[in-house]
Amino acid sequence: MNNQRIVKCLYIFTWLLTMAVSTVSAQHFQWQAALPVTPDSGFYKIPLTTDLIAKSHGTDLRDIRIYDQGNVVSYILNKEAGHEWLPVPAISRVKDAPAGYSVLQLQFREACLLKGLKFEVATPGYYFRQAYITTDWASDLHTNFESRENKFRFSSDSINSITLRQSIKGTTFFLVVLDEDNQPLDITSTIAWQDTYYLTAWLEKGRHYVLKTGDPDLKAPRYDLSHFAGKVPASVPTLVAGNITADPAVIPAQPTPATTDQPTWFKNKGWIWISIIGITILILLLTIRLLKDMQEKR
């Protein structure tokens, strides 16, 4: 193999490596929601609905982005006083709970960023129980109660609610009640809520902006705009995002039956990384061969 052929192969392999890396690092949003056309340039408040938060990943909402065509627009993530009511979860009793415990499953229709719950208890007339909220009741059942963050007490003299110190994300949660030698509580209903979030961003007049989310690989953005939060007026106009739809760049409109449940090679990141390593090794081997040929010719 002469030096020119080796150099050409190096170019090809380097290009393949670049394409593979870009495939792995590309942003793959699953959902989007269009904002109304901005009437004027300035700061805007963009509420994050419960539906949009359900599609995001992480308790820090790290994968939400604002796009102006292909350009990312910086924003400030805010949390304001008050809360957003969540759809009522389905309640079912876990049958294999150990003696002395009641475990109730709270199943939400979509993922939520749970912040608080309030329960209605029908019977018995007088009770005082220890309880906590968890996402995995079986693995941490015997953890010391006092060391738990999401603990509270059911009492016939209280309103039986809990506000979590830190929000937890998911669709399924469990209420674990320590009954000891008492009959289980008859919990008839519950209401749930999450914090109220919104974005603050500087938007230009007459532009079509889009919110995108649904990429679990993204980290929380670090924008310059957060250093200028003091410049934002106390009152700014509000833009509400429209219906959330599948991002056409990522999710096909209607896959054919032949391709359903058949992942392509480029969607399997394990194979991509194996290919990257293989291409890197080939580049190193060809480089060593090229250097040896150059030394022999000297």
Side-chain angles (χ1 to χ4, degrees):
M1 181 181 292
N2 58 40
N3 292 346
Q4 288 184 346
R5 290 181 64 188
I6 293 175
V7 171
K8 288 181 179 179
C9 288
L10 283 175
Y11 281 139
I12 293 171
F13 283 124
T14 303
W15 177 81
L16 289 172
L17 178 63
T18 302
M19 291 296 294
V21 171
S22 63
T23 300
V24 171
S25 60
Q27 296 177 358
H28 298 294
F29 297 102
Q30 294 180 314
W31 306 98
Q32 66 178 27
L35 292 171
V37 177
T38 46
D40 294 293
S41 297
F43 282 108
Y44 286 87
K45 175 182 178 180
I46 305 168
L48 297 182
T49 64
T50 55
D51 289 338
L52 186 68
I53 290 175
K55 301 295 191 297
S56 68
H57 290 271
T59 57
D60 56 359
L61 308 177
R62 61 179 178 267
D63 64 334
I64 295 177
R65 297 292 187 272
I66 304 175
Y67 274 90
D68 174 14
Q69 295 181 349
N71 301 315
V72 179
V73 178
S74 62
Y75 63 77
I76 303 170
L77 176 62
N78 303 277
K79 184 169 62 177
E80 65 182 358
H83 50 256
E84 297 287 335
W85 296 110
L86 296 169
V88 176
I91 304 176
S92 59
R93 191 173 294 274
V94 177
K95 296 180 180 179
D96 57 347
Y101 288 89
S102 292
V103 180
L104 274 69
Q105 176 178 289
L106 310 175
Q107 183 69 49
F108 289 86
R109 187 178 68 252
E110 287 190 296
C112 61
L113 199 53
L114 185 67
K115 183 62 175 180
L117 291 155
K118 181 178 180 295
F119 300 92
E120 292 292 333
V121 180
T123 58
Y126 296 93
Y127 54 87
F128 186 85
R129 312 281 173 88
Q130 294 178 333
Y132 61 91
I133 303 296
T134 180
T135 56
D136 185 5
W137 71 269
S139 63
D140 62 357
L141 188 64
H142 302 294
T143 303
N144 181 269
F145 177 80
E146 294 302 328
S147 65
R148 297 183 178 280
E149 286 190 0
N150 300 326
K151 63 180 183 294
F152 68 110
R153 285 180 170 84
F154 276 104
S155 171
S156 50
D157 295 329
S158 70
I159 60 173
N160 296 325
S161 68
I162 175 175
T163 299
L164 307 181
R165 182 174 298 179
Q166 298 290 335
S167 299
I168 50 179
K169 186 77 177 286
T171 57
T172 305
F173 305 92
F174 296 93
L175 168 67
V176 181
V177 183
L178 178 57
D179 293 324
E180 296 183 311
D181 297 323
N182 303 287
Q183 70 180 75
L185 299 177
D186 181 14
I187 297 174
T188 57
S189 64
T190 182
I191 56 175
W193 62 89
Q194 67 184 23
D195 286 324
T196 301
Y197 295 92
Y198 65 94
L199 309 179
T200 301
W202 177 275
L203 305 179
E204 300 294 335
K205 179 180 180 179
R207 307 303 290 267
H208 296 267
Y209 294 93
V210 177
L211 293 181
K212 294 196 176 190
T213 192
D215 185 347
D217 297 327
L218 279 184
K219 296 181 179 179
R222 301 180 64 180
Y223 295 132
D224 293 338
L225 189 61
S226 61
H227 297 283
F228 302 94
K231 302 287 187 181
V232 180
S235 179
V236 298
T238 299
L239 282 183
V240 179
N243 294 331
I244 302 170
T245 59
D247 189 332
V250 176
I251 301 179
Q254 191 67 39
T256 61
T259 60
T260 302
D261 299 328
Q262 295 180 4
T264 64
W265 184 85
F266 277 104
K267 290 183 179 179
N268 190 321
K269 291 189 177 181
W271 284 109
I272 293 176
W273 280 115
I274 291 172
S275 301
I276 290 173
I277 294 171
I279 293 170
T280 303
I281 293 172
L282 286 173
I283 290 175
L284 289 174
L285 292 175
L286 288 170
T287 303
I288 293 171
R289 176 67 181 274
L290 178 61
L291 291 174
K292 285 183 178 180
D293 287 349
M294 293 174 65
Q295 289 177 353
E296 290 174 358
K297 289 186 175 182
R298 288 181 181 178

